Amino acid sequence: MSTHNRQLRVGMVGYAFMGAAHSQAWRTVNRVYDLPARVRMSTICGRDPGKVADAADRLGWDSWTTDWRALVTSDEIDVVDICTPGDSHAEIALAALAAGKHVICEKPLANTVAEAREMAAAAATARTTGVRSMCGFNYRRVPAVTLMRQLVEAGRLGVIRHVRAAYLQDWIVDPQFPLVWRLQKDKAGSGALGDIGAHIIDLTQYVTGQRIGGVSAITETFVKQRPLPAGSSGLAAQVDGHGSVDGHGSVDGHGPATGPVTVDDAAVFVARLDGGALATYEASRFATGRKNALRVEINGSLGSVVFDLERLNELEFHDATLPAGEQGFTRILVTEPEHPYLSAWWPPGHIIGYEHSFTHQMRDFVEAVATGADPTPSFEEALQVQLVLDAVTRSAERSSSWTEVASTPAPVPA
């Protein structure tokens, strides 16, 4: 049998926001890219039989189950895709790796450093037997971001001096928005810091090739009590047309039941990268009017580059080596066939969108698994992001004191 006829049978745990995004990518990846293996969307798993059955039909999965343990040990599954809240990442990933399944796990890798260390160690051990694993930081796979990294690697920016990163949303500005799982520390691990701050930590380290060595941070929870939801999931809570809670509970008929918000609503920190650059980071879900505003700017001795997720197909590039009269930020439309990932898509100028980053992620993962290579970001890289999140949390708890980021163990060779 040729390698192109090899099948990778995928089992996915979770079917909400990320489950839908991953499903779209699994459906699409072999239709767009010529890969050494073909994906089969075998089984999707969720707790509610009715909802997971509907998701299987709607998202294109062959079958469904409510038993993730049976899924990860099944002889009919080669890859386990984890799209659940963070409190279950470690248990599912460890079981899947122990069962010899390749694993892709959504970010952040875990809810705690201890869990992330255990997962990274298990992934390193599994790698010695040919089992591969990856953490799903999808923004790495936006073509403009990959091009941004290539410009830095080629020395076009010179010595990196400043990094500015912000990821701003506003979906919980209304104090009547319900207490969904993303606002509960035991399920989500942290708030804006881990949910969206993790993305800009990974993205800036990926683009610059430098790691964050230390931080000084402040975090805040602006709304400390919220109504308990009748039924909600992450970003898709039940709300009426005016953005207020629809059908939340009550306490003895005296008004809505509420519960404490146990995560941060916003996090701001300064950092020093190990290559000497200074950096600022801002993650907030209280930036009124900002829906999904991720922006990164890198300043170097020879130039600067800027990426804005709301202009996903563009980069701004300033080349300071040009004569002064010719300098200025240039808009690069990242849609050419020679740009990363784009040779398989549309003619130049025909833009792509958010969902394509997941298709590119699955392309890289399938290619790595099928060829016996190590996909990135590895669990070890994701652990390093977790250590930064932990340092930010500890700094904020200690009145913004300077806090070093703990080191990660050396990976076990394959």
Side-chain angles (χ1 to χ4, degrees), residues 7-13 19 22-23 25-27 29-30 37-45 60-65 71-72 74-83 101-104 362 365-366 369:
Q7 246 187 19
L8 285 176
R9 299 161 298 178
V10 180
M12 188 172 75
V13 188
H22 283 221
S23 295
W26 291 124
R27 285 196 311 271
V29 66
N30 284 121
R38 295 199 64 81
V39 167
R40 178 177 174 183
M41 296 170 64
S42 294
T43 307
I44 188 172
C45 179
W61 293 86
D62 292 345
S63 63
W64 60 269
T65 182
L71 174 73
V72 303
S74 170
D75 292 337
E76 302 300 313
I77 296 296
D78 304 303
V79 174
V80 173
D81 184 359
I82 303 170
C83 296
K101 312 302 183 187
H102 307 292
V103 175
I104 179 168
M362 301 320 181
F365 182 75
V366 169
V369 167

mmCIF file of all heavy atoms in Angstrom, residues 7-13 19 22-23 25-27 29-30 37-45 60-65 71-72 74-83 101-104 362 365-366 369:
data_model
loop_
_atom_site.group_PDB
_atom_site.id
_atom_site.type_symbol
_atom_site.label_atom_id
_atom_site.label_comp_id
_atom_site.label_asym_id
_atom_site.label_seq_id
_atom_site.Cartn_x
_atom_site.Cartn_y
_atom_site.Cartn_z
ATOM 1 N N GLN A 7 -4.128 5.558 6.240
ATOM 2 C CA GLN A 7 -5.183 6.290 6.930
ATOM 3 C C GLN A 7 -4.762 6.633 8.348
ATOM 4 O O GLN A 7 -4.123 5.840 9.032
ATOM 5 C CB GLN A 7 -6.454 5.429 7.007
ATOM 6 C CG GLN A 7 -7.600 5.977 6.220
ATOM 7 C CD GLN A 7 -8.883 5.193 6.443
ATOM 8 O OE1 GLN A 7 -9.038 4.460 7.412
ATOM 9 N NE2 GLN A 7 -9.811 5.374 5.529
ATOM 10 N N LEU A 8 -5.101 7.830 8.760
ATOM 11 C CA LEU A 8 -4.984 8.233 10.162
ATOM 12 C C LEU A 8 -6.398 8.434 10.676
ATOM 13 O O LEU A 8 -7.095 9.370 10.276
ATOM 14 C CB LEU A 8 -4.169 9.522 10.301
ATOM 15 C CG LEU A 8 -2.657 9.406 10.138
ATOM 16 C CD1 LEU A 8 -2.011 10.791 10.218
ATOM 17 C CD2 LEU A 8 -2.055 8.491 11.196
ATOM 18 N N ARG A 9 -6.812 7.532 11.545
ATOM 19 C CA ARG A 9 -8.186 7.553 12.065
ATOM 20 C C ARG A 9 -8.214 8.423 13.328
ATOM 21 O O ARG A 9 -7.544 8.123 14.310
ATOM 22 C CB ARG A 9 -8.645 6.134 12.356
ATOM 23 C CG ARG A 9 -8.652 5.233 11.120
ATOM 24 C CD ARG A 9 -8.663 3.763 11.493
ATOM 25 N NE ARG A 9 -7.465 3.389 12.246
ATOM 26 C CZ ARG A 9 -7.251 2.157 12.722
ATOM 27 N NH1 ARG A 9 -8.134 1.195 12.511
ATOM 28 N NH2 ARG A 9 -6.151 1.891 13.407
ATOM 29 N N VAL A 10 -8.991 9.485 13.259
ATOM 30 C CA VAL A 10 -8.993 10.500 14.316
ATOM 31 C C VAL A 10 -10.187 10.310 15.236
ATOM 32 O O VAL A 10 -11.319 10.107 14.790
ATOM 33 C CB VAL A 10 -9.025 11.922 13.715
ATOM 34 C CG1 VAL A 10 -9.024 12.979 14.824
ATOM 35 C CG2 VAL A 10 -7.839 12.133 12.775
ATOM 36 N N GLY A 11 -9.915 10.399 16.527
ATOM 37 C CA GLY A 11 -10.970 10.492 17.531
ATOM 38 C C GLY A 11 -10.845 11.823 18.240
ATOM 39 O O GLY A 11 -9.750 12.184 18.686
ATOM 40 N N MET A 12 -11.902 12.585 18.330
ATOM 41 C CA MET A 12 -11.850 13.921 18.920
ATOM 42 C C MET A 12 -12.726 13.980 20.164
ATOM 43 O O MET A 12 -13.879 13.544 20.141
ATOM 44 C CB MET A 12 -12.294 14.981 17.919
ATOM 45 C CG MET A 12 -12.078 16.408 18.406
ATOM 46 S SD MET A 12 -12.392 17.635 17.128
ATOM 47 C CE MET A 12 -14.182 17.596 17.086
ATOM 48 N N VAL A 13 -12.190 14.540 21.238
ATOM 49 C CA VAL A 13 -12.935 14.703 22.484
ATOM 50 C C VAL A 13 -13.294 16.179 22.609
ATOM 51 O O VAL A 13 -12.418 17.042 22.728
ATOM 52 C CB VAL A 13 -12.109 14.241 23.694
ATOM 53 C CG1 VAL A 13 -12.990 14.233 24.947
ATOM 54 C CG2 VAL A 13 -11.513 12.859 23.452
ATOM 55 N N GLY A 19 -14.031 22.297 18.915
ATOM 56 C CA GLY A 19 -14.374 21.071 18.223
ATOM 57 C C GLY A 19 -14.867 21.336 16.814
ATOM 58 O O GLY A 19 -14.516 20.618 15.867
ATOM 59 N N HIS A 22 -11.766 22.460 14.704
ATOM 60 C CA HIS A 22 -10.917 21.326 14.367
ATOM 61 C C HIS A 22 -11.602 20.411 13.353
ATOM 62 O O HIS A 22 -10.951 19.878 12.446
ATOM 63 C CB HIS A 22 -10.555 20.551 15.629
ATOM 64 C CG HIS A 22 -9.494 21.192 16.455
ATOM 65 N ND1 HIS A 22 -8.491 20.481 17.061
ATOM 66 C CD2 HIS A 22 -9.267 22.490 16.779
ATOM 67 C CE1 HIS A 22 -7.690 21.305 17.728
ATOM 68 N NE2 HIS A 22 -8.164 22.528 17.579
ATOM 69 N N SER A 23 -12.900 20.217 13.504
ATOM 70 C CA SER A 23 -13.635 19.357 12.563
ATOM 71 C C SER A 23 -13.553 19.916 11.151
ATOM 72 O O SER A 23 -13.353 19.174 10.182
ATOM 73 C CB SER A 23 -15.098 19.225 12.990
ATOM 74 O OG SER A 23 -15.214 18.559 14.233
ATOM 75 N N ALA A 25 -11.232 21.661 9.921
ATOM 76 C CA ALA A 25 -9.874 21.441 9.433
ATOM 77 C C ALA A 25 -9.655 19.992 9.018
ATOM 78 O O ALA A 25 -9.054 19.716 7.970
ATOM 79 C CB ALA A 25 -8.866 21.840 10.499
ATOM 80 N N TRP A 26 -10.121 19.044 9.847
ATOM 81 C CA TRP A 26 -9.976 17.628 9.487
ATOM 82 C C TRP A 26 -10.733 17.313 8.196
ATOM 83 O O TRP A 26 -10.263 16.534 7.358
ATOM 84 C CB TRP A 26 -10.491 16.737 10.609
ATOM 85 C CG TRP A 26 -9.685 16.712 11.864
ATOM 86 C CD1 TRP A 26 -10.120 16.996 13.132
ATOM 87 C CD2 TRP A 26 -8.300 16.344 12.017
ATOM 88 N NE1 TRP A 26 -9.107 16.843 14.048
ATOM 89 C CE2 TRP A 26 -7.979 16.442 13.395
ATOM 90 C CE3 TRP A 26 -7.302 15.952 11.116
ATOM 91 C CZ2 TRP A 26 -6.709 16.157 13.892
ATOM 92 C CZ3 TRP A 26 -6.030 15.668 11.605
ATOM 93 C CH2 TRP A 26 -5.741 15.773 12.979
ATOM 94 N N ARG A 27 -11.912 17.915 8.009
ATOM 95 C CA ARG A 27 -12.692 17.684 6.792
ATOM 96 C C ARG A 27 -11.975 18.189 5.550
ATOM 97 O O ARG A 27 -12.107 17.637 4.461
ATOM 98 C CB ARG A 27 -14.053 18.396 6.869
ATOM 99 C CG ARG A 27 -15.078 17.775 7.748
ATOM 100 C CD ARG A 27 -16.483 18.324 7.432
ATOM 101 N NE ARG A 27 -16.550 19.773 7.370
ATOM 102 C CZ ARG A 27 -16.800 20.560 8.424
ATOM 103 N NH1 ARG A 27 -16.965 20.019 9.624
ATOM 104 N NH2 ARG A 27 -16.878 21.866 8.278
ATOM 105 N N VAL A 29 -8.437 19.167 5.159
ATOM 106 C CA VAL A 29 -6.994 19.121 4.950
ATOM 107 C C VAL A 29 -6.575 18.261 3.762
ATOM 108 O O VAL A 29 -5.708 18.654 2.967
ATOM 109 C CB VAL A 29 -6.273 18.688 6.247
ATOM 110 C CG1 VAL A 29 -6.593 17.248 6.638
ATOM 111 C CG2 VAL A 29 -4.775 18.925 6.133
ATOM 112 N N ASN A 30 -7.184 17.090 3.563
ATOM 113 C CA ASN A 30 -6.802 16.237 2.441
ATOM 114 C C ASN A 30 -7.413 16.684 1.120
ATOM 115 O O ASN A 30 -6.975 16.241 0.052
ATOM 116 C CB ASN A 30 -7.186 14.784 2.709
ATOM 117 C CG ASN A 30 -6.259 14.097 3.690
ATOM 118 O OD1 ASN A 30 -6.713 13.626 4.739
ATOM 119 N ND2 ASN A 30 -4.971 14.037 3.386
ATOM 120 N N ALA A 37 -0.653 10.799 4.111
ATOM 121 C CA ALA A 37 -1.675 10.005 4.783
ATOM 122 C C ALA A 37 -3.014 10.710 4.640
ATOM 123 O O ALA A 37 -3.070 11.932 4.503
ATOM 124 C CB ALA A 37 -1.343 9.797 6.257
ATOM 125 N N ARG A 38 -4.072 9.922 4.689
ATOM 126 C CA ARG A 38 -5.413 10.480 4.598
ATOM 127 C C ARG A 38 -6.101 10.406 5.962
ATOM 128 O O ARG A 38 -6.015 9.392 6.654
ATOM 129 C CB ARG A 38 -6.259 9.754 3.550
ATOM 130 C CG ARG A 38 -5.735 9.935 2.136
ATOM 131 C CD ARG A 38 -6.804 9.630 1.113
ATOM 132 N NE ARG A 38 -7.930 10.555 1.180
ATOM 133 C CZ ARG A 38 -7.937 11.770 0.634
ATOM 134 N NH1 ARG A 38 -6.862 12.220 -0.007
ATOM 135 N NH2 ARG A 38 -8.999 12.538 0.725
ATOM 136 N N VAL A 39 -6.788 11.478 6.300
ATOM 137 C CA VAL A 39 -7.496 11.562 7.576
ATOM 138 C C VAL A 39 -8.881 10.924 7.438
ATOM 139 O O VAL A 39 -9.586 11.146 6.450
ATOM 140 C CB VAL A 39 -7.640 13.039 8.009
ATOM 141 C CG1 VAL A 39 -8.625 13.180 9.153
ATOM 142 C CG2 VAL A 39 -6.289 13.620 8.373
ATOM 143 N N ARG A 40 -9.226 10.143 8.435
ATOM 144 C CA ARG A 40 -10.593 9.650 8.555
ATOM 145 C C ARG A 40 -11.163 10.154 9.871
ATOM 146 O O ARG A 40 -10.596 9.912 10.934
ATOM 147 C CB ARG A 40 -10.641 8.125 8.523
ATOM 148 C CG ARG A 40 -12.068 7.586 8.694
ATOM 149 C CD ARG A 40 -12.112 6.087 8.597
ATOM 150 N NE ARG A 40 -13.446 5.578 8.900
ATOM 151 C CZ ARG A 40 -13.766 4.279 8.941
ATOM 152 N NH1 ARG A 40 -12.831 3.382 8.683
ATOM 153 N NH2 ARG A 40 -15.002 3.918 9.241
ATOM 154 N N MET A 41 -12.267 10.875 9.796
ATOM 155 C CA MET A 41 -12.912 11.412 10.993
ATOM 156 C C MET A 41 -13.770 10.307 11.602
ATOM 157 O O MET A 41 -14.949 10.188 11.327
ATOM 158 C CB MET A 41 -13.733 12.650 10.627
ATOM 159 C CG MET A 41 -12.875 13.801 10.108
ATOM 160 S SD MET A 41 -13.845 15.164 9.405
ATOM 161 C CE MET A 41 -14.758 15.745 10.848
ATOM 162 N N SER A 42 -13.139 9.506 12.464
ATOM 163 C CA SER A 42 -13.775 8.278 12.928
ATOM 164 C C SER A 42 -14.820 8.514 14.016
ATOM 165 O O SER A 42 -15.986 8.156 13.860
ATOM 166 C CB SER A 42 -12.719 7.302 13.431
ATOM 167 O OG SER A 42 -11.905 6.867 12.363
ATOM 168 N N THR A 43 -14.399 9.109 15.142
ATOM 169 C CA THR A 43 -15.296 9.172 16.304
ATOM 170 C C THR A 43 -15.146 10.497 17.024
ATOM 171 O O THR A 43 -14.027 10.967 17.249
ATOM 172 C CB THR A 43 -14.992 8.029 17.287
ATOM 173 O OG1 THR A 43 -15.011 6.783 16.588
ATOM 174 C CG2 THR A 43 -16.012 7.996 18.415
ATOM 175 N N ILE A 44 -16.274 11.064 17.415
ATOM 176 C CA ILE A 44 -16.289 12.276 18.241
ATOM 177 C C ILE A 44 -16.907 11.913 19.589
ATOM 178 O O ILE A 44 -17.821 11.088 19.667
ATOM 179 C CB ILE A 44 -17.072 13.410 17.547
ATOM 180 C CG1 ILE A 44 -16.927 14.727 18.317
ATOM 181 C CG2 ILE A 44 -18.520 13.041 17.327
ATOM 182 C CD1 ILE A 44 -17.509 15.931 17.569
ATOM 183 N N CYS A 45 -16.387 12.541 20.640
ATOM 184 C CA CYS A 45 -16.798 12.188 21.996
ATOM 185 C C CYS A 45 -17.283 13.419 22.748
ATOM 186 O O CYS A 45 -16.690 14.497 22.655
ATOM 187 C CB CYS A 45 -15.618 11.559 22.742
ATOM 188 S SG CYS A 45 -15.977 11.086 24.450
ATOM 189 N N GLY A 60 -19.530 15.968 10.573
ATOM 190 C CA GLY A 60 -18.978 15.024 9.608
ATOM 191 C C GLY A 60 -18.218 13.849 10.183
ATOM 192 O O GLY A 60 -17.361 13.273 9.495
ATOM 193 N N TRP A 61 -18.527 13.422 11.405
ATOM 194 C CA TRP A 61 -17.849 12.291 12.018
ATOM 195 C C TRP A 61 -18.621 11.000 11.759
ATOM 196 O O TRP A 61 -19.852 11.001 11.682
ATOM 197 C CB TRP A 61 -17.688 12.527 13.520
ATOM 198 C CG TRP A 61 -16.748 13.666 13.796
ATOM 199 C CD1 TRP A 61 -17.067 14.990 13.849
ATOM 200 C CD2 TRP A 61 -15.341 13.575 14.000
ATOM 201 N NE1 TRP A 61 -15.940 15.751 14.079
ATOM 202 C CE2 TRP A 61 -14.860 14.902 14.181
ATOM 203 C CE3 TRP A 61 -14.438 12.511 14.060
ATOM 204 C CZ2 TRP A 61 -13.513 15.180 14.413
ATOM 205 C CZ3 TRP A 61 -13.087 12.788 14.292
ATOM 206 C CH2 TRP A 61 -12.648 14.117 14.467
ATOM 207 N N ASP A 62 -17.883 9.895 11.629
ATOM 208 C CA ASP A 62 -18.504 8.608 11.325
ATOM 209 C C ASP A 62 -19.363 8.098 12.471
ATOM 210 O O ASP A 62 -20.403 7.476 12.254
ATOM 211 C CB ASP A 62 -17.430 7.544 11.023
ATOM 212 C CG ASP A 62 -16.686 7.805 9.736
ATOM 213 O OD1 ASP A 62 -17.165 8.618 8.927
ATOM 214 O OD2 ASP A 62 -15.609 7.197 9.551
ATOM 215 N N SER A 63 -18.894 8.322 13.712
ATOM 216 C CA SER A 63 -19.597 7.783 14.872
ATOM 217 C C SER A 63 -19.372 8.687 16.068
ATOM 218 O O SER A 63 -18.566 9.630 16.006
ATOM 219 C CB SER A 63 -19.114 6.364 15.186
ATOM 220 O OG SER A 63 -17.733 6.370 15.532
ATOM 221 N N TRP A 64 -20.056 8.379 17.152
ATOM 222 C CA TRP A 64 -19.908 9.182 18.370
ATOM 223 C C TRP A 64 -19.927 8.274 19.592
ATOM 224 O O TRP A 64 -20.383 7.135 19.545
ATOM 225 C CB TRP A 64 -21.007 10.241 18.478
ATOM 226 C CG TRP A 64 -22.400 9.680 18.509
ATOM 227 C CD1 TRP A 64 -23.219 9.444 17.448
ATOM 228 C CD2 TRP A 64 -23.149 9.281 19.675
ATOM 229 N NE1 TRP A 64 -24.422 8.921 17.854
ATOM 230 C CE2 TRP A 64 -24.403 8.821 19.228
ATOM 231 C CE3 TRP A 64 -22.882 9.280 21.038
ATOM 232 C CZ2 TRP A 64 -25.384 8.354 20.087
ATOM 233 C CZ3 TRP A 64 -23.853 8.811 21.920
ATOM 234 C CH2 TRP A 64 -25.089 8.362 21.444
ATOM 235 N N THR A 65 -19.413 8.818 20.707
ATOM 236 C CA THR A 65 -19.402 8.098 21.965
ATOM 237 C C THR A 65 -19.429 9.095 23.110
ATOM 238 O O THR A 65 -19.095 10.268 22.924
ATOM 239 C CB THR A 65 -18.154 7.193 22.086
ATOM 240 O OG1 THR A 65 -18.197 6.473 23.322
ATOM 241 C CG2 THR A 65 -16.874 8.022 22.070
ATOM 242 N N LEU A 71 -12.579 5.579 23.800
ATOM 243 C CA LEU A 71 -12.068 6.190 22.567
ATOM 244 C C LEU A 71 -10.551 6.114 22.500
ATOM 245 O O LEU A 71 -9.978 5.682 21.486
ATOM 246 C CB LEU A 71 -12.532 7.648 22.495
ATOM 247 C CG LEU A 71 -11.963 8.474 21.344
ATOM 248 C CD1 LEU A 71 -12.595 8.061 20.030
ATOM 249 C CD2 LEU A 71 -12.170 9.970 21.576
ATOM 250 N N VAL A 72 -9.879 6.517 23.570
ATOM 251 C CA VAL A 72 -8.417 6.619 23.499
ATOM 252 C C VAL A 72 -7.733 5.261 23.515
ATOM 253 O O VAL A 72 -6.550 5.163 23.164
ATOM 254 C CB VAL A 72 -7.841 7.518 24.630
ATOM 255 C CG1 VAL A 72 -8.457 8.909 24.573
ATOM 256 C CG2 VAL A 72 -8.036 6.880 26.001
ATOM 257 N N SER A 74 -9.174 2.569 21.887
ATOM 258 C CA SER A 74 -9.741 1.819 20.764
ATOM 259 C C SER A 74 -8.682 1.489 19.708
ATOM 260 O O SER A 74 -7.867 2.335 19.334
ATOM 261 C CB SER A 74 -10.875 2.615 20.119
ATOM 262 O OG SER A 74 -11.286 2.011 18.908
ATOM 263 N N ASP A 75 -8.722 0.267 19.196
ATOM 264 C CA ASP A 75 -7.837 -0.136 18.108
ATOM 265 C C ASP A 75 -8.215 0.544 16.796
ATOM 266 O O ASP A 75 -7.458 0.459 15.816
ATOM 267 C CB ASP A 75 -7.886 -1.660 17.923
ATOM 268 C CG ASP A 75 -7.268 -2.407 19.097
ATOM 269 O OD1 ASP A 75 -6.448 -1.810 19.812
ATOM 270 O OD2 ASP A 75 -7.632 -3.589 19.304
ATOM 271 N N GLU A 76 -9.369 1.204 16.781
ATOM 272 C CA GLU A 76 -9.839 1.878 15.566
ATOM 273 C C GLU A 76 -9.443 3.351 15.516
ATOM 274 O O GLU A 76 -9.881 4.072 14.619
ATOM 275 C CB GLU A 76 -11.372 1.770 15.486
ATOM 276 C CG GLU A 76 -11.898 0.347 15.491
ATOM 277 C CD GLU A 76 -11.361 -0.453 14.316
ATOM 278 O OE1 GLU A 76 -11.394 0.069 13.180
ATOM 279 O OE2 GLU A 76 -10.909 -1.596 14.536
ATOM 280 N N ILE A 77 -8.622 3.796 16.473
ATOM 281 C CA ILE A 77 -8.210 5.199 16.546
ATOM 282 C C ILE A 77 -6.690 5.290 16.528
ATOM 283 O O ILE A 77 -6.001 4.553 17.235
ATOM 284 C CB ILE A 77 -8.759 5.865 17.828
ATOM 285 C CG1 ILE A 77 -10.282 5.896 17.813
ATOM 286 C CG2 ILE A 77 -8.191 7.280 18.002
ATOM 287 C CD1 ILE A 77 -10.893 6.742 16.708
ATOM 288 N N ASP A 78 -6.166 6.200 15.696
ATOM 289 C CA ASP A 78 -4.722 6.443 15.623
ATOM 290 C C ASP A 78 -4.322 7.765 16.263
ATOM 291 O O ASP A 78 -3.220 7.899 16.789
ATOM 292 C CB ASP A 78 -4.261 6.469 14.155
ATOM 293 C CG ASP A 78 -4.622 5.206 13.416
ATOM 294 O OD1 ASP A 78 -4.209 4.123 13.868
ATOM 295 O OD2 ASP A 78 -5.328 5.310 12.389
ATOM 296 N N VAL A 79 -5.204 8.766 16.173
ATOM 297 C CA VAL A 79 -4.933 10.122 16.648
ATOM 298 C C VAL A 79 -6.033 10.549 17.595
ATOM 299 O O VAL A 79 -7.222 10.379 17.284
ATOM 300 C CB VAL A 79 -4.851 11.131 15.470
ATOM 301 C CG1 VAL A 79 -4.709 12.559 15.997
ATOM 302 C CG2 VAL A 79 -3.715 10.782 14.528
ATOM 303 N N VAL A 80 -5.662 11.123 18.736
ATOM 304 C CA VAL A 80 -6.640 11.697 19.664
ATOM 305 C C VAL A 80 -6.483 13.210 19.657
ATOM 306 O O VAL A 80 -5.388 13.737 19.894
ATOM 307 C CB VAL A 80 -6.456 11.139 21.091
ATOM 308 C CG1 VAL A 80 -7.363 11.872 22.073
ATOM 309 C CG2 VAL A 80 -6.741 9.639 21.112
ATOM 310 N N ASP A 81 -7.567 13.892 19.366
ATOM 311 C CA ASP A 81 -7.608 15.357 19.298
ATOM 312 C C ASP A 81 -8.405 15.854 20.500
ATOM 313 O O ASP A 81 -9.589 15.537 20.643
ATOM 314 C CB ASP A 81 -8.269 15.784 17.985
ATOM 315 C CG ASP A 81 -8.277 17.283 17.774
ATOM 316 O OD1 ASP A 81 -7.785 18.020 18.647
ATOM 317 O OD2 ASP A 81 -8.786 17.727 16.721
ATOM 318 N N ILE A 82 -7.751 16.642 21.369
ATOM 319 C CA ILE A 82 -8.360 17.067 22.638
ATOM 320 C C ILE A 82 -8.818 18.516 22.534
ATOM 321 O O ILE A 82 -8.000 19.432 22.424
ATOM 322 C CB ILE A 82 -7.368 16.895 23.801
ATOM 323 C CG1 ILE A 82 -6.884 15.446 23.882
ATOM 324 C CG2 ILE A 82 -8.003 17.325 25.123
ATOM 325 C CD1 ILE A 82 -5.734 15.227 24.844
ATOM 326 N N CYS A 83 -10.137 18.725 22.565
ATOM 327 C CA CYS A 83 -10.735 20.062 22.447
ATOM 328 C C CYS A 83 -11.628 20.372 23.637
ATOM 329 O O CYS A 83 -12.623 21.093 23.509
ATOM 330 C CB CYS A 83 -11.547 20.157 21.151
ATOM 331 S SG CYS A 83 -10.582 20.003 19.650
ATOM 332 N N LYS A 101 -1.370 6.400 21.156
ATOM 333 C CA LYS A 101 -2.038 7.263 20.185
ATOM 334 C C LYS A 101 -1.261 8.572 20.008
ATOM 335 O O LYS A 101 -0.752 9.143 20.973
ATOM 336 C CB LYS A 101 -3.454 7.608 20.643
ATOM 337 C CG LYS A 101 -4.286 6.416 21.102
ATOM 338 C CD LYS A 101 -4.444 5.355 20.035
ATOM 339 C CE LYS A 101 -5.342 4.218 20.532
ATOM 340 N NZ LYS A 101 -5.398 3.089 19.583
ATOM 341 N N HIS A 102 -1.193 9.054 18.771
ATOM 342 C CA HIS A 102 -0.687 10.395 18.524
ATOM 343 C C HIS A 102 -1.704 11.391 19.100
ATOM 344 O O HIS A 102 -2.915 11.151 19.041
ATOM 345 C CB HIS A 102 -0.512 10.642 17.033
ATOM 346 C CG HIS A 102 0.316 9.593 16.341
ATOM 347 N ND1 HIS A 102 1.659 9.439 16.582
ATOM 348 C CD2 HIS A 102 -0.025 8.637 15.427
ATOM 349 C CE1 HIS A 102 2.124 8.442 15.839
ATOM 350 N NE2 HIS A 102 1.121 7.937 15.139
ATOM 351 N N VAL A 103 -1.209 12.510 19.626
ATOM 352 C CA VAL A 103 -2.099 13.437 20.334
ATOM 353 C C VAL A 103 -1.882 14.861 19.846
ATOM 354 O O VAL A 103 -0.748 15.330 19.727
ATOM 355 C CB VAL A 103 -1.859 13.385 21.867
ATOM 356 C CG1 VAL A 103 -2.701 14.444 22.581
ATOM 357 C CG2 VAL A 103 -2.178 11.995 22.415
ATOM 358 N N ILE A 104 -2.988 15.543 19.575
ATOM 359 C CA ILE A 104 -2.969 16.991 19.409
ATOM 360 C C ILE A 104 -3.904 17.560 20.466
ATOM 361 O O ILE A 104 -5.044 17.100 20.611
ATOM 362 C CB ILE A 104 -3.375 17.432 17.980
ATOM 363 C CG1 ILE A 104 -3.368 18.963 17.868
ATOM 364 C CG2 ILE A 104 -4.704 16.855 17.549
ATOM 365 C CD1 ILE A 104 -3.478 19.473 16.440
ATOM 366 N N MET A 362 -3.436 21.168 10.945
ATOM 367 C CA MET A 362 -3.624 19.742 10.704
ATOM 368 C C MET A 362 -2.721 19.252 9.580
ATOM 369 O O MET A 362 -2.245 18.111 9.616
ATOM 370 C CB MET A 362 -5.097 19.441 10.387
ATOM 371 C CG MET A 362 -6.084 19.836 11.480
ATOM 372 S SD MET A 362 -5.522 19.512 13.182
ATOM 373 C CE MET A 362 -6.936 20.064 14.123
ATOM 374 N N PHE A 365 0.592 18.652 11.173
ATOM 375 C CA PHE A 365 0.524 17.521 12.100
ATOM 376 C C PHE A 365 0.477 16.196 11.342
ATOM 377 O O PHE A 365 1.216 15.253 11.660
ATOM 378 C CB PHE A 365 -0.701 17.668 13.003
ATOM 379 C CG PHE A 365 -0.839 16.589 14.037
ATOM 380 C CD1 PHE A 365 -0.026 16.575 15.159
ATOM 381 C CD2 PHE A 365 -1.778 15.578 13.899
ATOM 382 C CE1 PHE A 365 -0.141 15.581 16.128
ATOM 383 C CE2 PHE A 365 -1.904 14.580 14.846
ATOM 384 C CZ PHE A 365 -1.090 14.579 15.964
ATOM 385 N N VAL A 366 -0.386 16.097 10.348
ATOM 386 C CA VAL A 366 -0.510 14.863 9.566
ATOM 387 C C VAL A 366 0.800 14.539 8.869
ATOM 388 O O VAL A 366 1.255 13.381 8.866
ATOM 389 C CB VAL A 366 -1.660 14.981 8.542
ATOM 390 C CG1 VAL A 366 -1.636 13.817 7.553
ATOM 391 C CG2 VAL A 366 -3.007 15.039 9.256
ATOM 392 N N VAL A 369 3.346 13.252 11.525
ATOM 393 C CA VAL A 369 3.028 11.904 12.000
ATOM 394 C C VAL A 369 3.310 10.873 10.914
ATOM 395 O O VAL A 369 3.898 9.817 11.171
ATOM 396 C CB VAL A 369 1.553 11.832 12.452
ATOM 397 C CG1 VAL A 369 1.107 10.385 12.644
ATOM 398 C CG2 VAL A 369 1.353 12.629 13.738
#
